[in-house]
Amino acid sequence: MAESNSAPHIVFEHYDRDDERRREALLALGNGVLSWRASAPEGSVKPRADDSKHYAGFYRAGWYDEATREVNGDSVHMAALVNLPDPFGLSVALEDGNWFSPDEVDLQRYRQALNLNDGVLERQLSFELAGHRVELLERRLVSMATPNLAGLRWELHLPPGLVVRLRSVLDGGVCNAGVERNRAYEGRRLQHLAFDHDGNGTAALSARLHDHRQRLAMAVQLRTPGRQLQWRSTTHEQRLVQEARCAVPDSGRLIMEKRVVVLIDEECPVADKDARLEARRQLPCDEYEHLEQTSAEAWRTLWQGLALASDDPELRRNLHFHAFHLLQTVSPHSIGRDLGFPPRGWMEGYYGQVFWDELFAFPVLATHWPELARSLLDYRYARLDKARERARRAGLRGAMFPWRSARTGKEETPPWQLNPMSGRWMADHTRLQRHIGSAVAYDAWQLYLATADEALLAGPVGELIIDVARFWASIAQFDASRQRYLICGVIGPDEYHNGYPDAAEPGLNNNTYTNLMAAWTLDRARQVLALLSEADANGLCQRLGLAPDEPEHWQAVAEGLYLPFVDDLLLSQFEGFDQLEPPPQEWLHGDRPRLDWMLEARHDSCDRYQLTKQADVLMAYYLVPQQTLQQILRRLGYPHDAASARRTLAYHLARITHESSLSKVVCAGALADIDLEASWSYYQQALATDLGSPGNRGTQEGVHLGAMSGSLDVLQRHYLGVRLELDGLHLFPSPPASLPPVSLSLLFRQSRLHLRLAHGALVVRADSGNVAPVPLHYAEGKRQLAPGESLEIRCRSTS
């Protein structure tokens, strides 16, 4: 279990072979370009085997392979993030004894610690090897200062004069095999491997993908500071093995270092040999300590954008850990590289594809690192034309974004998912999650509110919001019998309902979350045109080919969408949800396999029951401020007061399995305005999604970035009450009674604010370096907070 202390470290004090894969993901290092699982280097020196306890994954962000795979009789052309060659294999043997492995020695001490401030992972071991006591100190980094660089350092303490054998491995024969049930889609991806090496410990590798324009070059340098060793190299099964012998110096201290440089595509010269030479040329000559120092300085600069602190060391550590993984996935190095936001980080979970999870990160990124939020928005904007093309092919207007995206902007959802319980293939219809468009619009709007950038509103933000609105206006069909607009044949965030029982076609009608967010997007589109100057609005309309009558139609749809209710009192999940069979309570609370797998193995389906993996309706309460949500419902002609909201939330909470990692963070946010005690309970559970779940096999595939980002969002947006609005920053703090004192710094329209919540009050201080006052709105009124000024706001409570 990770320790709780005041220092921002994640620490494991014992070796647990059965927990290694989860820890490899938890302690993975990245810089927005490279991602390296925390697999033990000594595990990579033996001949490759099917070792389910370790997985040495190394990845380049956004580097997807699109080779065709035969799956369940279909030829599937789908993008998957590539597992790069493993350059980190390293081990030691004494005299003629066996190579070191923690599974084969008596470990007298084991400590693994991730320094969250500096981005350095350290491992300390003491053990007996060949009758001698050995101490090993390992340090590793993925440089936040140099985007294509990773480093590994071993410091060994041994009896002086002892003969030591060293082995290093560069494994180019790796496969994508991190997720067992995905193997039909994965497997071997690297082609045309070639190696260069010399006797001084430097080696390089080149490879290509199915599309030969996608090229890789990797260089590895072995160093033994203070000693010049001769390395003997052999290759077998696309593995380059380098070995050397030396005597332990009189100091009893022997150091080995590996520096790794990775280049792809246009970074590589056209000829493979030249690409290998270029990668070798970029190997740094600096001392390892300097590499670590410059990376740590870059991390410290990043952390200044958050300045998160708490009197509770465990809360601080958990939130710091979540922010750490967020910044490892999207960093300053991501800017300009056309990268999205994968829900498991840059690892093989979900094939490294991009869903909607940046929705949970955007309110945080936009107010702490707006340049990173802009980078993610640029990823969507670069695929806007492709989304428009998809809409046109479907006979619709506007932009229809894919549920899963990768490099090209086409739909990447696999057609089949393997059920490991039954061994059968299950059809995957989740590509019908059209609500992804509203998520893109929401993110765009958040960035505009945070920056007040008029050029952004007249450009990418305006285009994205309006074209998503046009899509909703064209997919919504008017039903004369109800005098309402309907959105049919879609799937909500709850993927346990893909269609109606025994229906010939997938899809559901009038998913409440989808329709509410469609109404929200249509409102924002009209607001965009109203906010722009006449010249900018006309220019935007001309670029989009907007017909004069379209905004009026948007309003008609936004005020006429149909929402399903149960007994006219509470919002239903989708039309017909209340007619499904009630589930047995043990399905909701009992210890059982994943429900969709369990039911399919019984030739049954979640589609038949009133249960949810995560409740779509709660997502609307999580995302949209209660006042705004009530305004939308009133305009739709559906009165929905606080009592109705309580009944709605209670109804859906009684039907959630929480098998989505997002479920509990959504519940925490949705309940913050209704039941703070329940919200806090869910929040604590959400904080433990990855760190507190040793048996969570899902974490092995990568951490849950949506839930991690959501924990930061709930703290800032719901508990501290920070809301971005057109007229300024709204501050309506409503913290749970058990929330310890907490502080953070945020950026709002180029002005920095420092917030401290403690003892029932939120103190807001405008940074003295601000150049303009910040417009604040709070329960007692409003104020222009000048540079250096402070304001104390009393917190409200919710029973």
Side-chain angles (χ1 to χ4, degrees):
M1 179 65 185
E3 72 175 18
S4 295
N5 55 40
S6 59
H9 285 72
I10 304 299
V11 180
F12 293 95
E13 295 281 8
H14 71 284
Y15 175 69
D16 184 348
R17 178 174 165 82
D18 292 333
D19 196 34
E20 274 293 281
R21 278 212 174 192
R22 184 182 72 105
R23 295 184 189 182
E24 288 171 357
L26 287 175
L27 304 177
L29 298 178
N31 63 3
V33 174
L34 294 177
S35 177
W36 177 16
R37 287 174 64 92
S39 183
E42 65 272 10
S44 297
V45 300
K46 296 181 178 180
R48 207 176 305 113
D50 185 13
D51 183 357
S52 62
K53 304 299 183 183
H54 301 274
Y55 190 69
F58 189 39
Y59 309 95
R60 177 70 188 247
W63 205 54
Y64 298 101
D65 180 39
E66 297 172 359
T68 301
R69 297 287 193 261
E70 296 297 320
V71 181
N72 194 30
D74 286 348
S75 292
V76 179
H77 189 69
M78 185 192 79
L81 191 70
V82 177
N83 186 19
L84 303 181
D86 175 14
F88 300 109
L90 189 63
S91 195
V92 60
L94 304 184
E95 306 290 353
D96 294 322
N98 294 330
W99 295 103
F100 162 65
S101 168
D103 298 316
E104 298 171 10
V105 299
D106 179 20
L107 282 175
Q108 298 164 356
R109 186 188 182 209
Y110 182 94
R111 187 176 193 269
Q112 198 172 21
L114 173 60
N115 183 325
L116 297 172
N117 273 352
D118 296 346
V120 172
L121 179 61
E122 183 176 275
R123 193 172 58 137
Q124 301 174 42
L125 301 91
S126 297
F127 52 90
E128 293 284 334
L129 187 63
H132 298 279
R133 179 177 174 82
V134 181
E135 292 186 1
L136 168 61
L137 173 62
E138 174 187 295
R139 296 176 72 83
R140 61 169 76 187
L141 64 88
V142 173
S143 176
M144 193 56 83
T146 307
N148 62 352
L149 177 67
L152 173 69
R153 185 179 191 268
W154 272 18
E155 180 178 320
L156 291 159
H157 291 266
L158 296 154
L162 195 65
V163 175
V164 178
R165 290 184 292 136
L166 309 175
R167 174 180 283 179
S168 169
V169 175
L170 169 57
D171 188 354
V174 298
C175 295
N176 275 46
V179 183
E180 173 64 29
R181 67 185 179 279
N182 291 347
R183 288 205 171 187
Y185 290 100
E186 294 280 28
R188 184 103 178 114
R189 296 197 175 275
L190 298 168
Q191 302 179 13
H192 304 288
L193 267 78
F195 293 92
D196 288 334
H197 54 84
D198 59 29
N200 297 319
T202 302
L205 170 153
S206 60
R208 296 184 181 233
L209 297 182
H210 171 75
D211 180 347
H212 287 184
R213 294 170 297 180
Q214 293 184 260
R215 296 166 289 136
L216 168 75
M218 179 184 291
V220 185
Q221 184 179 55
L222 280 163
R223 284 189 168 197
T224 50
R227 307 180 69 84
Q228 186 66 39
L229 301 184
Q230 282 299 114
W231 295 86
R232 181 173 57 86
S233 301
T234 59
T235 56
H236 180 64
E237 293 185 344
Q238 298 177 323
R239 286 162 54 94
L240 174 66
V241 180
Q242 296 174 287
E243 294 187 0
R245 299 172 72 97
C246 68
V248 178
D250 292 341
S251 65
R253 181 169 174 260
L254 181 65
I255 295 175
M256 292 183 290
E257 298 175 2
K258 279 193 166 187
R259 288 100 183 276
V260 177
V261 164
V262 178
L263 307 177
I264 62 165
D265 301 341
E266 288 79 11
E267 298 166 357
C268 300
V270 175
D272 290 344
K273 183 176 181 180
D274 293 339
R276 296 193 297 272
L277 285 171
E278 177 60 22
R280 290 176 66 160
R281 188 191 67 79
Q282 293 194 25
L283 285 164
C285 299
D286 309 85
E287 297 296 324
Y288 181 86
E289 290 78 6
H290 178 72
L291 301 180
E292 205 172 270
Q293 179 185 351
T294 56
S295 179
E297 289 172 354
W299 266 110
R300 284 192 283 272
T301 299
L302 262 181
W303 285 126
Q304 291 173 5
L306 185 62
L308 176 67
S310 175
D311 292 0
D312 183 310
E314 184 173 1
L315 178 65
R316 178 193 176 209
R317 181 206 59 174
N318 287 342
L319 292 171
H320 213 99
F321 178 64
H322 292 179
F324 178 78
H325 274 288
L326 172 62
L327 292 172
Q328 289 198 133
T329 303
V330 53
S331 83
H333 295 311
S334 308
I335 298 171
R337 294 180 186 269
D338 192 32
L339 299 173
F341 188 82
R344 296 303 189 88
W346 294 113
M347 294 191 199
E348 289 170 50
Y350 295 128
Y351 311 97
Q353 295 168 354
V354 175
F355 296 63
W356 70 327
D357 296 71
E358 72 260 37
L359 180 72
F360 296 86
F362 240 83
V364 176
L365 291 174
T367 52
H368 296 275
W369 305 280
E371 70 281 5
L372 303 187
R374 174 63 192 268
S375 176
L376 292 178
L377 196 72
D378 287 344
Y379 172 84
R380 295 298 189 180
Y381 186 62
R383 286 152 184 79
L384 179 55
D385 281 342
K386 188 70 174 181
R388 289 164 173 158
E389 178 189 324
R390 295 182 72 245
R392 285 196 300 272
R393 290 203 309 267
L396 301 169
R397 282 181 170 180
M400 186 169 75
F401 281 92
W403 172 234
R404 295 201 194 189
S405 181
R407 186 170 61 90
T408 64
K410 73 179 184 67
E411 178 63 71
E412 300 289 357
T413 302
W416 305 98
Q417 299 282 358
L418 180 67
N419 183 348
M421 290 186 65
S422 68
R424 292 190 291 265
W425 290 101
M426 302 165 60
D428 188 338
H429 302 299
T430 57
R431 65 186 63 230
L432 296 175
Q433 293 194 61
R434 306 301 184 204
H435 63 85
I436 179 67
S438 293
V440 173
Y442 178 88
D443 296 341
W445 185 246
Q446 291 299 307
L447 184 58
Y448 170 67
L449 291 178
T451 61
D453 186 334
E454 296 301 321
L456 202 59
L457 187 67
V461 165
E463 288 190 40
L464 286 164
I465 291 174
I466 287 175
D467 263 349
V468 172
R470 298 174 88 184
F471 166 75
W472 288 128
S474 61
I475 198 174
Q477 297 300 305
F478 188 71
D479 181 348
S481 65
R482 302 191 201 188
Q483 290 294 296
R484 288 280 183 179
Y485 287 92
L486 313 182
I487 298 178
C488 300
V490 301
I491 292 175
D494 169 37
E495 297 174 346
Y496 275 5
H497 290 94
N498 283 205
Y500 292 102
D502 305 318
E505 297 293 331
L508 302 160
N509 298 337
N510 299 307
N511 174 263
T512 293
Y513 171 75
T514 300
N515 287 17
L516 280 171
M517 291 309 296
W520 181 92
T521 305
L522 290 159
D523 286 343
R524 295 293 80 71
R526 296 178 69 244
Q527 200 166 23
V528 166
L529 293 177
L531 288 169
L532 291 172
S533 68
E534 183 177 356
D536 283 343
N538 289 337
L540 182 58
C541 291
Q542 288 176 8
R543 288 201 310 277
L544 297 178
L546 202 65
D549 62 343
E550 285 191 65
E552 184 178 347
H553 181 56
W554 300 344
Q555 181 175 358
V557 176
E559 295 178 354
L561 279 165
Y562 174 78
L563 295 180
F565 280 76
V566 178
D567 298 330
D568 297 326
L569 295 173
L570 53 94
L571 285 163
S572 185
Q573 181 97 334
F574 52 80
E575 189 171 8
F577 179 80
D578 58 318
Q579 302 301 310
L580 302 178
E581 297 179 32
Q585 284 301 299
E586 59 266 26
W587 289 5
L588 298 172
H589 308 293
D591 184 15
R592 52 160 178 75
R594 203 175 106 170
L595 195 59
D596 58 337
W597 293 347
M598 183 186 84
L599 291 179
E600 192 279 337
R602 298 177 181 179
H603 299 281
D604 201 350
S605 169
C606 293
D607 287 336
R608 306 182 70 85
Y609 301 97
Q610 292 181 37
L611 50 79
T612 60
K613 182 180 180 183
Q614 63 187 47
D616 297 358
V617 178
L618 268 64
M619 185 64 202
Y621 288 87
Y622 167 87
L623 201 60
V624 181
Q626 189 176 41
Q627 183 179 1
T628 304
L629 188 60
Q630 288 178 349
Q631 288 172 352
I632 293 173
L633 288 163
R634 280 199 299 270
R635 290 182 62 200
L636 286 168
Y638 297 113
H640 194 69
D641 58 14
S644 299
R646 286 179 181 275
R647 286 194 293 267
T648 296
L649 292 173
Y651 177 85
H652 292 288
L653 287 169
R655 290 161 173 78
I656 305 179
T657 68
H658 295 296
E659 288 175 288
S660 165
S661 64
L662 295 173
S663 182
K664 290 183 178 177
V665 78
V666 168
C667 288
L671 286 165
D673 282 330
I674 302 294
D675 186 340
L676 272 173
E677 185 177 348
S679 171
W680 179 245
S681 176
Y682 280 117
Y683 189 70
Q684 290 177 297
Q685 295 173 60
L687 288 175
T689 298
D690 290 302
L691 267 182
S693 305
N696 189 339
R697 295 182 61 84
T699 304
Q700 298 176 12
E701 302 167 13
V703 296
H704 297 86
L705 278 176
M708 287 181 161
S709 302
S711 71
L712 298 165
D713 182 35
V714 169
L715 174 69
Q716 177 173 300
R717 198 161 52 86
H718 290 283
Y719 294 162
L720 300 187
V722 176
R723 298 208 312 264
L724 312 181
E725 300 289 353
L726 287 170
D727 58 0
L729 192 67
H730 287 221
L731 295 169
F732 291 84
S734 181
S738 300
L739 178 66
V742 65
S743 61
L744 55 78
S745 170
L746 60 82
L747 198 64
F748 180 69
R749 299 176 186 173
Q750 294 78 52
S751 293
R752 184 159 296 282
L753 296 173
H754 307 282
L755 279 61
R756 166 80 175 169
L757 176 72
H759 311 301
L762 178 69
V763 176
V764 187
R765 179 174 60 85
D767 195 273
S768 58
N770 292 347
V771 297
V774 180
L776 300 182
H777 296 254
Y778 50 102
E780 290 78 16
K782 56 185 178 180
R783 176 174 169 181
Q784 295 283 334
L785 197 65
E789 288 186 342
S790 295
L791 172 68
E792 181 175 292
I793 301 171
R794 300 306 299 174
C795 300
R796 66 187 180 93
S797 61
T798 303
S799 58

